[in-house]
Amino acid sequence: MQIEEILKKLERFEGRFPTAAVAQAIKRREEIAPRLLGILESLAGDPAPYLEGDQRCDYLFALYLLAKFRDTRAYPLVLRICRLPDDIADALLGDVISQNLGSILASVAGGDEAGLKALVEDPGIDEWIRDAALSALVTGVATGERTRGEVMAYLARLFETLPREEGHIWASLAHSALDLCPIEVKQQILDAFEQELIDPFEISPEDIEDALRKGIDTAMEDLPRRGHRLIDDLELDMGWMDGFQEEESPYEPLAPHENPYDDAEDPYDPFAPELGFPEPYQREGPKIGRNEQCPCGSGRKYKKCCGR
């Protein structure tokens, strides 16, 4: 498969993950990396062409592939993309921000802290991107690029220096501390609760006690499980995206009232009403966008209310 053919396969969502094209891209890393960097350079310089239609995804593959390659040349480009106006960054990245941006940043940062801290401390940046930058710093602890003490000292400083205004960044700060076991900053977190800087919907005092009971050693072991890991398996890391979910099942539908267990000696329906199990969850109504008004009536965006 030629480079042009690989890039063409990665350009649009086609209902399934392009496993073969991604495998070829990884195999031909040295050849394709400059092209992927070019895509990110183009995106950072003029995002407009990437906002035309909702099926383009070559820039997403560029982000994830360069993260897998640990290509530090992508780092300044990702930082520039993070600094695009909120509405543009959100339209381009969507749930990537909350799902994987922290891992992407950590994967291309090469141990650098300055760019990540600049994102965290900039009140003009989307709070969820600031959250991802904090997560990337904690991921550096999980990978051994920095020590727990260094990151905890930075978090402690943020508790003292961030503007005392309620916002998601305070919950992000508390979550980062909890992931590392918040022994040193327990009182600062409680003070933030007292000053109503942390929404109790996002985190509770009980969460603090639970984290303290685990202790530092367990907290360190749990970091990868809590999402603090580098990008590695693209099919796993990107598989949650709607663009890779086939709209129709590949299996033949059952005829009305057809029971797949009819011929079994001991038919068993795991959702039989008499067994007291709930029906499988099915979403009612249309999917709610992260930037749409929350249906609960709070007046806030869904991503900053019930969509957290």
Side-chain angles (χ1 to χ4, degrees):
M1 191 179 294
Q2 299 300 311
I3 296 297
E4 293 298 334
E5 186 180 356
I6 296 171
L7 292 172
K8 188 66 176 177
K9 292 285 187 181
L10 303 181
E11 186 176 299
R12 303 282 172 180
F13 287 114
E14 296 182 351
R16 65 183 63 187
F17 189 85
T19 304
V22 167
Q24 285 295 312
I26 294 170
K27 182 178 180 179
R28 303 180 67 174
R29 166 181 172 172
E30 297 302 324
E31 296 173 81
I32 204 168
R35 301 291 299 274
L36 299 176
L37 290 165
I39 291 172
L40 295 190
E41 180 73 45
S42 173
L43 174 66
D46 180 15
Y50 297 86
L51 295 170
E52 298 171 0
D54 60 356
Q55 296 300 305
R56 188 164 180 177
C57 59
D58 52 350
Y59 67 93
L60 294 177
F61 278 107
L63 283 170
Y64 281 85
L65 280 166
L66 291 167
K68 178 178 175 59
F69 298 161
R70 312 289 184 259
D71 196 325
T72 56
R73 295 174 295 178
Y75 184 49
L77 298 174
V78 179
L79 293 178
R80 285 174 58 192
I81 292 167
C82 287
R83 289 187 172 279
L84 291 171
D86 284 2
D87 57 337
I88 294 178
D90 195 78
L92 288 168
L93 301 178
D95 288 340
V96 170
I97 295 173
S98 54
Q99 292 278 0
N100 300 123
L101 182 57
S103 294
I104 291 171
L105 284 165
S107 296
V108 297
D112 174 76
E113 295 184 352
L116 298 177
K117 290 180 177 179
L119 286 181
V120 171
E121 297 172 36
D122 188 343
I125 300 293
D126 181 275
E127 288 188 304
W128 292 88
I129 291 179
R130 297 169 74 188
D131 178 296
L134 273 173
S135 178
L137 288 168
V138 177
T139 297
V141 178
T143 60
E145 289 183 324
R146 55 187 63 89
T147 69
R148 175 189 175 278
E150 290 170 342
V151 174
M152 190 60 76
Y154 175 63
L155 299 181
R157 180 171 71 80
L158 290 178
F159 273 111
E160 301 302 323
T161 59
L162 283 179
R164 317 301 282 186
E165 300 172 354
E166 189 274 335
H168 178 68
I169 187 62
W170 284 96
S172 301
L173 182 55
H175 274 298
S176 296
L178 264 61
D179 285 349
L180 294 171
C181 187
I183 296 172
E184 300 92 330
V185 295
K186 174 183 177 181
Q187 191 56 52
Q188 287 97 318
I189 299 176
L190 293 175
D191 289 344
F193 271 111
E194 183 67 23
Q195 297 171 36
E196 298 183 348
L197 298 172
I198 299 176
D199 188 339
F201 182 81
E202 297 190 75
I203 191 171
S204 71
E206 289 76 17
D207 294 327
I208 303 172
E209 297 304 323
D210 288 344
L212 289 169
R213 276 193 292 270
K214 286 184 178 179
I216 293 176
D217 290 344
T218 300
M220 296 301 97
E221 293 173 2
D222 282 352
L223 287 177
R225 183 180 61 81
R226 297 184 68 81
H228 297 294
R229 57 182 182 80
L230 303 180
I231 296 297
D232 183 51
D233 183 336
L234 264 67
E235 190 158 3
L236 175 65
D237 291 326
M238 300 179 73
W240 56 268
M241 296 181 184
D242 285 345
F244 300 134
Q245 309 301 313
E246 296 188 55
E247 294 183 2
E248 297 183 4
S249 170
Y251 304 105
E252 287 293 327
L254 295 174
H257 310 299
E258 182 179 342
N259 187 340
Y261 299 99
D262 277 346
D263 297 328
E265 294 182 3
D266 184 20
Y268 169 65
D269 180 356
F271 296 105
E274 62 268 20
L275 295 178
F277 288 97
E279 289 291 323
Y281 171 76
Q282 294 182 344
R283 183 173 67 232
E284 296 181 0
K287 181 179 179 180
I288 303 168
R290 296 172 74 250
N291 280 313
E292 295 180 22
Q293 190 174 64
C294 189
C296 75
S298 67
R300 306 172 73 183
K301 289 184 178 181
Y302 179 66
K303 69 179 181 181
K304 294 189 176 182
C305 192
C306 296
R308 289 171 173 168

